[in-house]
Amino acid sequence: QVQLTESGGGLVQPGGSLRLSCAASGSSFGDYAVAWFRQTPGKEREFVASLRWSAGGTWYADSVKGRFSISRDRAISAVILQMNGLKPEDTAVYYCAAGRPIVSTMRTTGAYYYWGQGTQVTVSS
């Protein structure tokens, strides 16, 4: 079983950057896919980005493509979400998730087994 812990959220001005980290404990990411989702009050959880830890490959939501970058840091067994050019509409709680989705389900919450507790990102002047 994998325990996930997110860190790096906070308050940033529009146009600024934040770096979120998702660390694994209890087990390595192995052959899992690791994704970031986000959620605002009253809305469904929304896919942001994902990667396959061992096999490679990255996926992005259209709304963040070109601004966000997802990568793996093998040294600390973590998945990094680098967020640049932040906008107020990026404000949400960001969740890390791990699972074994197929390509067609990479963006769906139901394909992921393990979830972190979430970290708040607020973009405001």
Side-chain angles (χ1 to χ4, degrees), residues 36-70:
W36 287 95
F37 288 80
R38 65 187 182 187
Q39 189 170 25
T40 54
K43 292 190 176 181
E44 291 188 355
R45 203 162 287 189
E46 174 191 32
F47 172 80
V48 176
S50 65
L51 59 75
R52 283 181 167 161
W53 182 261
S54 295
T58 57
W59 289 259
Y60 292 94
D62 288 344
S63 59
V64 307
K65 205 171 290 184
R67 299 188 297 124
F68 292 11
S69 177
I70 189 169

Side-chain angles (χ1 to χ4, degrees), residues 96-107:
C96 174
R100 294 190 177 98
I102 57 176
V103 172
S104 61
T105 63
M106 191 66 70
R107 295 175 171 83

Side-chain angles (χ1 to χ4, degrees), residues 87-100:
K87 305 175 181 179
E89 52 262 43
D90 294 317
T91 295
V93 177
Y94 283 69
Y95 296 90
C96 174
R100 294 190 177 98

Side-chain angles (χ1 to χ4, degrees), residues 2 28-34 52 98-103 105-106 111-114:
V2 180
S28 69
F29 284 126
D31 62 349
Y32 286 116
V34 182
R52 283 181 167 161
R100 294 190 177 98
I102 57 176
V103 172
T105 63
M106 191 66 70
Y112 294 86
Y113 319 138
Y114 306 110

